[in-house]
Amino acid sequence: MNKLGIDDYISSTISINIKDYENSVQIFFCGEIDMQDPEEIFMPFFENIHNKIIEVGLKEVNLNFENLNFLNSSGIKVLIKWIQKGLFLPEKEKYKFKIYASSKIPWQINSLKLLSMLSPTLIEIKVI
Amino acid sequence: MKLEKTKNSGYLELVFGPRWTYIATVRNFLQRFLLVTIGNNKSADIISMAASELLENAIKYASEEGTKISANYFEEENTLILSVENFSSKDNIKILLDQIKEVNEGTPEEMYLKKMLQAAERTDGGSQLGFARIRYESGSDIEVEIKEDLVKISIAFNLCRLGGRGIER
């Protein structure tokens, strides 16, 4: 079990694995997110991660999208909602998002890079 | 479906019932078809992403069965035209036209950022990010034609820009 104490999410099209990583956690997305309402499925999961990050006192979360082949725009919205929750925290609870994107997957280069403009100080994009 | 003679270098037309579960299959098939037709993985990925977003919209706002997707490759112009057609209600057509008008108003980057911020406030399942995303990721404009309750959305992709440094940011 990872330091957040949260189980991985696994379905037929997507797996989300949480692994301990140095003083943080790394969350690996693998597969495709293209359901009609990803918010219903993923927002409670991301909120749980968000709350545990604050509880444990982590200052960074790593999101690894290298193996996420497709993310629809409703899925992008869910990601924005999570990031927005992090941005509006009080200073002592704030944590950074380090996002790993694949140079081989065009949507990641384009949309994830733009996502970092929501808050360049708290979101870092690493293209692999 | 009427069979027509075509002189294009690559041509695809699919008609299917508006069911969400078909979208991934169509997207993946189109991606492979485009890879064979235009021979560029990056362009194939971007166009199939756009197709998927248009199909999601078509299915969300369809008033009747029947969604048609076509891809038409013009080798000499190095252009691929993607179209998605479906039937929709008057109210939904108005929403669609307003969305496309809004997205085409600013630069692709500022409109996508604006729509991202708006999406974060939405509590329904939708995001209304699709058109802004397509425009930003592909650098292509979105055109719409309405004939009574038939809606046709088309995008002409310049393949030099998609595959080359034109789209890199």
Side-chain angles (χ1 to χ4, degrees):
Chain A
M1 183 60 75
N2 52 71
K3 65 180 82 166
L4 298 181
I6 297 174
D7 288 330
D8 295 337
Y9 177 89
I10 296 167
S11 77
S12 58
T13 55
I14 174 80
S15 68
I16 305 174
N17 304 101
I18 307 167
K19 292 193 189 325
D20 289 344
Y21 179 74
E22 296 170 0
N23 293 323
S24 173
V25 286
Q26 184 148 205
I27 303 174
F28 294 87
F29 294 76
C30 182
E32 297 184 335
I33 294 178
D34 60 358
M35 50 287 280
Q36 191 158 6
D37 189 1
E39 185 169 358
E40 194 179 55
I41 299 164
F42 296 113
M43 208 56 219
F45 183 68
F46 291 156
E47 273 174 346
N48 195 13
I49 295 172
H50 169 81
N51 292 333
K52 286 286 181 185
I53 286 172
I54 296 166
E55 194 182 307
V56 174
L58 300 184
K59 291 295 164 203
E60 183 182 284
V61 61
N62 298 273
L63 306 182
N64 191 317
F65 293 105
E66 277 179 278
N67 291 309
L68 186 67
N69 296 318
F70 185 75
L71 176 65
N72 66 5
S73 51
S74 300
I76 292 175
K77 180 185 86 169
V78 183
L79 202 56
I80 297 166
K81 281 196 162 195
W82 178 12
I83 290 172
Q84 291 278 64
K85 284 176 93 66
L87 301 184
F88 295 116
L89 285 170
E91 210 53 48
K92 63 174 185 176
E93 291 180 344
K94 267 201 166 92
Y95 59 91
K96 287 188 175 182
F97 291 87
K98 197 181 262 183
I99 295 176
Y100 293 85
S102 168
S103 60
K104 292 175 187 158
I105 304 178
W107 73 262
Q108 296 197 3
I109 302 295
N110 290 313
S111 281
L112 292 178
K113 265 192 179 172
L114 195 68
L115 203 63
S116 69
M117 289 176 73
L118 292 175
S119 176
T121 53
L122 288 181
I123 306 168
E124 184 188 338
I125 303 279
K126 239 181 156 171
V127 179
I128 298 163
Chain B
M1 194 191 309
K2 202 173 124 191
L3 183 63
E4 291 173 354
K5 289 181 182 175
T6 174
K7 289 180 182 167
N8 301 342
S9 307
Y11 185 79
L12 168 80
E13 201 169 274
L14 287 172
V15 178
F16 63 100
R19 296 278 183 276
W20 197 272
T21 45
Y22 298 142
I23 295 176
T25 305
V26 174
R27 180 179 67 243
N28 293 327
F29 176 76
L30 183 67
Q31 202 277 347
R32 286 173 181 84
F33 172 84
L34 292 172
L35 193 54
V36 172
T37 308
I38 59 183
N40 182 295
N41 197 43
K42 187 178 173 186
S43 301
D45 267 7
I46 292 171
I47 297 167
S48 56
M49 173 282 297
S52 194
E53 292 288 352
L54 293 182
L55 288 173
E56 284 193 14
N57 263 354
I59 289 170
K60 271 182 199 164
Y61 299 114
S63 60
E64 287 176 54
E65 288 279 328
T67 300
K68 180 163 115 180
I69 180 165
S70 59
N72 231 321
Y73 175 46
F74 300 91
E75 192 173 7
E76 282 181 14
E77 292 88 356
N78 212 7
T79 299
L80 188 132
I81 297 177
L82 175 77
S83 300
V84 169
E85 292 171 63
N86 69 296
F87 297 102
S88 195
S89 67
K90 267 187 184 169
D91 289 347
N92 283 341
I93 288 172
K94 188 184 177 315
I95 292 169
L96 176 85
L97 291 172
D98 288 347
Q99 274 190 46
I100 292 177
K101 185 172 176 276
E102 186 193 2
V103 162
N104 283 334
E105 270 170 359
T107 68
E109 185 175 298
E110 72 189 19
M111 290 318 296
Y112 193 24
L113 264 176
K114 182 182 167 189
K115 297 302 277 184
M116 277 183 170
L117 292 169
Q118 285 176 357
E121 304 299 320
R122 294 177 69 96
T123 51
D124 56 359
S127 68
Q128 296 208 345
L129 267 179
F131 293 133
R133 178 191 190 182
I134 292 169
R135 192 162 168 249
Y136 177 74
E137 290 196 17
S138 72
S140 308
D141 286 332
I142 298 158
E143 289 181 16
V144 60
E145 266 177 72
I146 310 286
K147 277 183 192 160
E148 295 175 2
D149 60 345
L150 181 66
V151 178
K152 182 178 182 180
I153 297 182
S154 301
I155 305 171
F157 296 97
N158 178 328
L159 300 177
C160 288
R161 288 196 62 206
L162 286 195
R165 63 190 175 92
I167 194 64
E168 296 287 359
R169 295 181 174 92

